[in-house]
Amino acid sequence: MNKQLINMGSLCIGCGAGIIANEIIKSLNEPAIFVLATGCLEVGTTTYPHNSWPYPVIHANFGNAASVASGIARARKFNQKINKNLQIIAIAGDGATYDIGLAALSGMAERGEDVLYICYNNQAYMNTGIQKSGATPIGAQNSTLLKWEVEQKLYPKSVIKIMLAHKIPYVAQTIPIFNNDLTAKIKKAINIKGPKYIEILSPCIRGWYYEPKDSLNIINLAVETCFWPLFEYEDNQLKINYVPENKEKISTWLKLQKRFTELSKDKNLIDKLQKQINKNWEELLKENN
Ligand SMILES: Cc1ncc(C[n+]2csc(CCOP(=O)(O)OP(=O)(O)O)c2C)c(N)n1
Ligand code: SF4
Ligand SMILES: [Mg+2]
């Protein structure tokens, strides 16, 4: 079986979600079925009659990928004809996960379904024109803002923490292409029984409005600034996977993305954001000890 996506379909060149999809596929040795929520990844790789994936794919609705994946997990359990090694992987964007699909995801976790759920988080509803989602960070321009406004929360809500509250066996945060962190986490997750949740920051050229040449820099800086630390929880026990030697300032990361043009002018707000990032990181380090 070809271990690469056949092509990137109609995703933008350099789309983070396409890179993530390829990394997931490279990590798999078992037969698998993917359940995709509506969003850029699904629309860009499965436009009828094409399927860019070298695996069967089900297009769920926008909000029910976790429920569809749960149904397949039950079928695998009770139907003797279904290979018991079949991996069931739901992939959904931040809009589908943080907002419309949160109840379905919670149900999947609460029932203990044997499903790997992956959220590729590009921090807005990109496929429909960059509307704000529950994962949009403060100051990020989006098409649902009528004017520059800072009423958004300093930090978006944490679905990672919501999943930890469900006490599922594996929860992790990662980013595409950083020391093979993503592939290591996928490989680990698929060998754990029960619900698994992995959230991956997914750079979006169009919505974050950056030069494609800056892609790798943006990925690295999200981690090096501790805006997006790499960690995992096995049975709610934290392990930090990478500790930056010299933490970069968040302003360096913001400046690379035109979605933060207005925020970059507001020194007070950037200071507040920097303090919050420092606090979050200190709390994580403390929990790790
Ligand atoms: C019930 C419902 N409401 C709205 C839509 C329109 N819609 C399709 S994709 C999408 C945005 C998806 O955002 P996200 O989950 O963050 O994925 P992204 O497009 O950013 O990759 C929306 C609003 C829909 N398909 N179904
Ligand atoms: S708009 Fe963003 S998420 Fe959608 S295909 Fe383009 S780069 Fe990818
Ligand atoms: Mg999104």
Side-chain angles (χ1 to χ4, degrees):
M1 183 180 280
N2 183 358
K3 293 300 296 277
Q4 289 286 323
L5 278 177
I6 296 161
N7 59 54
M8 290 290 195
S10 54
L11 295 171
C12 302
I13 292 169
C15 170
I19 299 169
I20 290 167
N22 267 326
E23 294 299 298
I24 295 169
I25 286 172
K26 278 194 260 168
S27 316
L28 293 177
N29 283 321
E30 310 279 351
I33 183 164
F34 287 85
V35 180
L36 303 185
T38 320
C40 271
L41 186 62
E42 182 276 326
V43 172
T45 60
T46 64
T47 309
Y48 183 81
H50 304 289
N51 173 14
S52 299
W53 298 69
Y55 289 95
V57 171
I58 291 187
H59 175 197
N61 289 337
F62 188 19
N64 70 349
S67 309
V68 173
S70 299
I72 301 171
R74 292 300 172 102
R76 180 188 53 192
K77 188 170 176 186
F78 296 114
N79 188 329
Q80 297 310 316
K81 290 184 190 152
I82 300 179
N83 186 336
K84 299 292 170 241
N85 293 326
L86 180 76
Q87 298 298 326
I88 301 161
I89 304 176
I91 310 185
D94 50 293
T97 304
Y98 278 60
D99 299 338
I100 192 168
L102 191 59
L105 175 60
S106 172
M108 182 199 104
E110 188 272 323
R111 293 189 305 270
E113 307 289 356
D114 189 11
V115 169
L116 169 57
Y117 186 104
I118 295 172
C119 170
Y120 68 100
N121 180 355
N122 51 28
Q123 304 188 316
Y125 294 72
M126 295 308 178
N127 191 248
T128 40
I130 322 176
Q131 292 87 14
K132 182 195 172 299
S133 79
T136 304
I138 192 161
Q141 290 284 353
N142 57 79
S143 57
T144 32
L145 280 180
L146 293 178
K147 57 177 174 51
W148 163 241
E149 53 185 42
V150 293
E151 284 89 30
Q152 286 156 270
K153 286 196 211 83
L154 199 54
Y155 238 70
K157 71 179 168 189
S158 168
V159 173
I160 292 269
K161 288 197 173 148
I162 294 172
M163 285 298 104
L164 287 173
H166 288 72
K167 301 210 171 12
I168 60 175
Y170 190 72
V171 174
Q173 177 164 291
T174 185
I175 197 152
I177 319 185
F178 193 97
N179 299 345
N180 293 323
D181 191 77
L182 190 163
T183 44
K185 283 171 178 166
I186 302 284
K187 282 180 188 164
K188 184 181 276 186
I190 57 177
N191 284 308
I192 296 173
K193 280 265 170 264
K196 286 82 57 174
Y197 177 79
I198 300 181
E199 184 161 332
I200 310 172
L201 189 68
S202 181
C204 167
I205 290 169
R206 198 167 144 256
W208 296 14
Y209 207 168
Y210 63 86
E211 298 292 328
K213 68 173 174 49
D214 289 329
S215 274
L216 274 182
N217 208 5
I218 282 178
I219 289 170
N220 285 335
L221 276 173
V223 178
E224 298 289 354
T225 54
C226 293
F227 174 81
W228 198 262
L230 305 180
F231 57 75
E232 61 192 336
Y233 286 86
E234 281 182 69
D235 294 324
N236 275 40
Q237 280 297 307
L238 171 66
K239 181 178 170 199
I240 296 178
N241 307 109
Y242 177 77
V243 177
E245 267 182 36
N246 299 305
K247 224 152 60 69
E248 298 276 353
K249 285 187 183 152
I250 192 61
S251 52
T252 319
W253 190 67
L254 300 175
K255 268 183 209 146
L256 289 172
Q257 305 164 58
K258 289 203 182 109
R259 66 177 171 152
F260 293 120
T261 302
E262 291 300 325
L263 177 70
S264 294
K265 296 175 192 162
D266 191 330
K267 195 176 167 317
N268 282 343
L269 202 52
I270 293 176
D271 285 348
K272 265 195 202 167
L273 184 61
Q274 183 68 66
K275 275 191 194 135
Q276 184 65 48
I277 290 168
N278 295 348
K279 186 168 172 269
N280 291 353
W281 178 239
E282 291 304 321
E283 281 173 7
L284 213 56
L285 287 175
K286 214 164 135 196
E287 190 185 339
N288 200 43
N289 288 327

